[in-house]
Amino acid sequence: QVHLVESGGDLVQPGGSLRLSCGVSGSFFSINDMAWYRQALGEQRDLLATITSSGSTNYADSVKGRFTISRDNAKSTVYLQMNSLKPEDTAVYYCGANIRATRFGSNGWYWGQGTQVTVSS
C-alpha cells in the first residue's frame, strides 16, 4: 500500500505565503514524477506544477513566478512553496506521485486526500 499525505494548508491573507508538503509512505520501488494540483469549489482539478525525479520542473501559467515545486528524494516528499497568494488561489490542493510499486511492475499515479488553502483578508 502506498499513501500520500499533504499538510500545510491554512488561512492566509492576500500577499502571504504558505508551504505545502506531501509525504509518500508505504511499500514501493521508486517514485518518478511528482505533481501538485488544485481544485476550487465547483471547478475542475487543475495541474499546477510537476517535478521529475531529477528535479526538472514545469508550471502552469497561473502560478509561474509565484509558486515553486521541489522535492526531497531521501524523504520521499514533495513541496510547494506559494508566495504572493491571491484570493483566487483558494482551493483544495492535492499532490500526486507516479510510483512503481515493485521492481518489475508498472507505474501508476497515486493521490493524497488534499489540504485546504484559503486566501482571504
Side-chain angles (χ1 to χ4, degrees):
Q1 291 283 353
V2 175
H3 299 280
L4 278 68
V5 179
E6 300 102 335
S7 62
D10 205 346
L11 170 65
V12 63
Q13 292 188 342
S17 298
L18 278 178
R19 188 194 196 206
L20 305 182
S21 300
C22 173
V24 181
S25 63
S27 177
F28 55 89
F29 178 74
S30 65
I31 303 175
N32 306 306
D33 292 359
M34 304 183 83
W36 284 97
Y37 287 72
R38 71 184 178 192
Q39 187 168 18
L41 192 63
E43 303 289 332
Q44 66 182 15
R45 189 173 296 189
D46 293 327
L47 175 63
L48 300 179
T50 61
I51 185 167
T52 67
S53 57
S54 60
S56 296
T57 59
N58 276 292
Y59 296 92
D61 288 342
S62 59
V63 303
K64 196 174 295 183
R66 298 190 299 125
F67 292 8
T68 302
I69 188 171
S70 61
R71 64 191 284 173
D72 184 333
N73 290 331
K75 296 181 179 179
S76 299
T77 299
V78 63
Y79 305 96
L80 187 68
Q81 177 66 43
M82 305 186 295
N83 299 327
S84 303
L85 284 162
K86 307 174 182 179
E88 52 263 43
D89 293 318
T90 295
V92 178
Y93 285 67
Y94 299 89
C95 68
N98 186 264
I99 293 173
R100 178 168 294 183
T102 61
R103 181 178 180 181
F104 299 107
S106 58
N107 298 338
W109 279 93
Y110 294 79
W111 304 98
Q113 81 290 347
T115 185
Q116 177 70 46
V117 172
T118 302
V119 184
S120 175
S121 55

